[in-house]
């Protein structure tokens, strides 16, 4: 079946540092790929998405590029803020309506 | 904006009790989902529904059932709660008419079974 693997956290950074969260997937065909973010005490919000190879999703300074050759969708941000402290989930949607999620990566940004 | 609401943010129940978790969405979405979220395991799909009175088992349906009598409402039922069902429960909805079919999530219900 489909699976998504992302780096375990927690990731602790200082403000203005560079953030990378690795995500790789296995799926039938060419899935749509997503990054969701969960702020403390809240549900998940869609952060960005990409639907085909070489697409780049971007939002709020975050970026991720759909790499078919490495089956990856790594999340990056050049300069993090304290407000970026959250749990980040990578997800893949192959055929059908179901999403497969990674285990989540907790990010803590210190001032 | 799509809004998905869940009936309770926090819930404490005793072992053996029947528990109902309610979810309502206001965007006329056909698809609705129930997940549980546990540290290190990410989100795991319990049940989903494509339409009223339709349901499909997800990856971990054991110990749960669901009900979808109206399009906007999707209920998760724990027939006899057990301590291993202590978790965060998240409801989501999506529109099958869109290509990407991204899911919109509610705020979650943190259930503790004692």
């Amino acid at each position: 079946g489909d699976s998504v693997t992302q780096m375990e956290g927690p990731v602790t950074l200082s403000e203005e540092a560079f953030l990378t969260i690795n995500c790789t997937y296995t799926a039938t065909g060419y899935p749509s790929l997503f990054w969701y973010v969960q702020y403390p005490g809240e549900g998940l919000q869609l952060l960005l998405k990409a639907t085909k190879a070489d697409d780049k999703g971007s939002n709020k300074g975050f970026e991720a590029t759909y790499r078919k050759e490495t089956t990856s969708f790594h999340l990056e941000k050049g300069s993090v803020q304290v407000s970026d402290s959250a749990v980040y989930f990578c997800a893949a949607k192959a055929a059908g309506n179901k999403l497969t999620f990674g285990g989540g990566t907790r990010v803590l940004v210190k001032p | 904006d799509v809004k998905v609401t869940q009936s309770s943010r926090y819930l404490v129940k005793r072992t053996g009790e029947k528990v109902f978790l309610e979810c309502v969405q206001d965007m006329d979405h056909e698809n609705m989902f129930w997940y549980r979220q546990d540290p290190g395991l990410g989100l795991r799909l319990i049940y989903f529904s494509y339409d009223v009175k339709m349901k499909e088992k997800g990856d971990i349906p054991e110990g749960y059932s669901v009900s979808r009598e109206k399009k906007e409402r999707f209920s998760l039922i724990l027939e006899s709660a057990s301590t291993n069902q202590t978790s965060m429960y998240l409801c989501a909805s999506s529109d099958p008419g869109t290509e990407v079919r991204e899911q919109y999530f509610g705020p979650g219900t943190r259930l503790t079974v004692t």
Side-chain angles (χ1 to χ4, degrees), chain A residues 32 34 36 38 41-46 49 51 87 89 93 95-104, chain B residues 9 31 33 35 37 40-43 45 48 50 59 90 94 96 99-103 105-108:
Chain A
S32 296
F34 306 84
Y36 281 83
Q38 184 179 35
E42 299 183 13
L44 275 67
Q45 302 173 25
L46 180 66
K49 63 191 177 192
T51 58
V87 182
F89 291 93
K93 189 192 80 64
N97 294 292
K98 295 193 292 182
L99 284 176
T100 300
F101 286 87
Chain B
R9 294 299 300 270
N31 298 335
F33 308 82
Y35 297 88
Q37 179 184 3
L41 297 178
L43 273 71
L45 182 64
F48 60 105
Y50 292 126
D59 300 318
L90 292 167
S94 72
E99 180 183 353
V100 178
R101 301 178 190 171
E102 64 189 76
Q103 294 185 12
F105 284 81

Side-chain angles (χ1 to χ4, degrees), chain B residues 84-99:
Chain B
N84 63 11
Q85 293 178 309
T86 291
S87 186
M88 170 72 88
Y89 289 89
L90 292 167
C91 175
S93 71
S94 72
D95 179 1
T98 61
E99 180 183 353

